[in-house]
Amino acid sequence: MAARGADDQRLLVQGLTYSGALPFIAGAVSHVIGFGDVNAANLTCYWAFTILMFMAGTLWGIQVVAPERVAPNLFLASNAVVLGTCAALWFVPFNEAALLFALGFGVLWWLDKQAVRAGATDAVYGTMRSRVSGIVVACLVVLAVVPMGAIPIF
């Protein structure tokens, strides 16, 4: 019975994680097709900041649960990413900020890989995080480099 509960929890975590990438996909597509009057880059950057905070919190949790397995700078590095991207929201135009967010997701992905290598998290979790990080980074790069409405369909 315990194995079923663990499987259910893993499915829930995977479902929530992949669902968290959907707004990035919607933002990138909306930006490229120029959908509506909403600047998709703005909304997507705010969503990116929200998700970066969650990811940093996850790394904090790993540091708390398995401090002997991961480097003590996990706290500092994840906080630096969040503070840096927060500054990007305030001081950098959204399209350029999207590149900084992509960089932030890349750094957090690298930190996740270190935790997996150290045995603080399992490989299945690491693979999922790698896939979702790839989707998110690709969407953020699209926001940054493709002009709004580049492929108008409406």
Side-chain angles (χ1 to χ4, degrees):
M1 189 58 77
R4 179 165 161 71
D7 288 342
D8 289 346
Q9 183 173 356
R10 184 178 298 268
L11 285 175
L12 177 62
V13 168
Q14 288 178 347
L16 290 173
T17 302
Y18 284 109
S19 296
L22 294 176
F24 290 100
I25 296 167
V29 170
S30 295
H31 176 79
V32 170
I33 66 173
F35 180 72
D37 294 332
V38 176
N39 186 342
N42 297 25
L43 296 174
T44 306
C45 282
Y46 282 112
W47 183 250
F49 183 62
T50 303
I51 297 301
L52 277 170
M53 287 188 294
F54 277 112
M55 289 180 69
T58 301
L59 291 168
W60 270 53
I62 292 169
Q63 180 78 54
V64 169
V65 172
E68 69 285 347
R69 292 187 179 193
V70 292
N73 63 358
L74 205 55
F75 280 133
L76 298 173
S78 61
N79 277 332
V81 169
V82 170
L83 293 173
T85 53
C86 181
L89 280 178
W90 292 340
F91 302 114
V92 179
F94 285 105
N95 289 63
E96 288 83 2
L99 277 180
L100 296 174
F101 280 104
L103 178 64
F105 276 98
V107 170
L108 292 182
W109 168 79
W110 181 79
L111 292 170
D112 273 331
K113 294 299 273 185
Q114 302 312 308
V116 170
R117 283 188 191 118
T121 60
D122 67 6
V124 173
Y125 177 80
T127 300
M128 175 196 62
R129 288 290 287 258
S130 292
R131 288 177 182 155
V132 173
S133 292
I135 293 167
V136 167
V137 167
C139 290
L140 290 168
V141 169
V142 165
L143 285 172
V145 301
V146 177
M148 184 173 180
I151 306 173
I153 62 169
F154 294 105

